[in-house]
């Protein structure tokens, strides 16, 4: 299983690091290149953006700082979503917003 991980801050970086330590194939993306570089040193690949992360992965995990950023990232990934693709949200986002975004993912044939 190929995993994309977007959002490598305090929580996301630790979650992603755990995946890498346990042998998962992970490509990462974050607006902070230093956070990306730290995980590349642990064995991660790099996704140039959210769309590329979804295109190359079976599942993309997002761990982002705000609902607005979660929305922007999901909107960017939508063209690559379809059957067999999964979006997992780990951000501190309200349940109603996650349901709204999940409905967009599922409308494209992906799973949320």
């Amino acid at each position: 299983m190929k995993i994309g991980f977007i959002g490598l801050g305090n929580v996301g970086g630790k979650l992603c690091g755990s995946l890498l330590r346990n042998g998962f194939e992970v490509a990462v993306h974050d607006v902070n290149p230093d956070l990306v570089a730290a995980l590349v040193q642990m064995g991660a690949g790099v996704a140039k953006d959210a769309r590329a992360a979804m295109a190359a992965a079976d599942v993309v995990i997002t761990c982002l700082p705000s609902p607005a950023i979660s929305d922007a990232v999901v909107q960017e990934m939508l063209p690559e979503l379809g059957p067999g693709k999964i979006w997992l949200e780990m951000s501190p986002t309200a349940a109603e917003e996650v349901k709204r975004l999940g409905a967009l993912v599922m409308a494209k044939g992906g799973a949320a």
Side-chain angles (χ1 to χ4, degrees), residues 29-90:
H29 177 69
D30 195 280
V31 295
N32 182 332
D34 294 335
L35 297 176
V36 171
L39 287 161
V40 166
Q41 289 181 342
M42 293 177 67
V46 177
K48 70 176 183 164
D49 55 31
R51 184 173 180 167
M54 184 54 81
D58 303 303
V59 59
V60 170
I61 302 167
T62 54
C63 192
L64 301 162
S66 76
I69 294 171
S70 292
D71 178 64
V73 167
V74 169
Q75 296 292 338
E76 187 178 333
M77 292 188 305
L78 281 177
E80 301 301 331
L81 277 152
K85 299 285 188 169
I86 301 167
W87 170 60
L88 296 176
E89 174 69 294
M90 304 295 287

Side-chain angles (χ1 to χ4, degrees), residues 67 70-71 74-75 87 89 97-105:
S70 292
D71 178 64
V74 169
Q75 296 292 338
W87 170 60
E89 174 69 294
E97 180 64 359
V98 173
K99 289 176 186 176
R100 183 187 73 79
L101 294 173
L104 296 175
V105 170

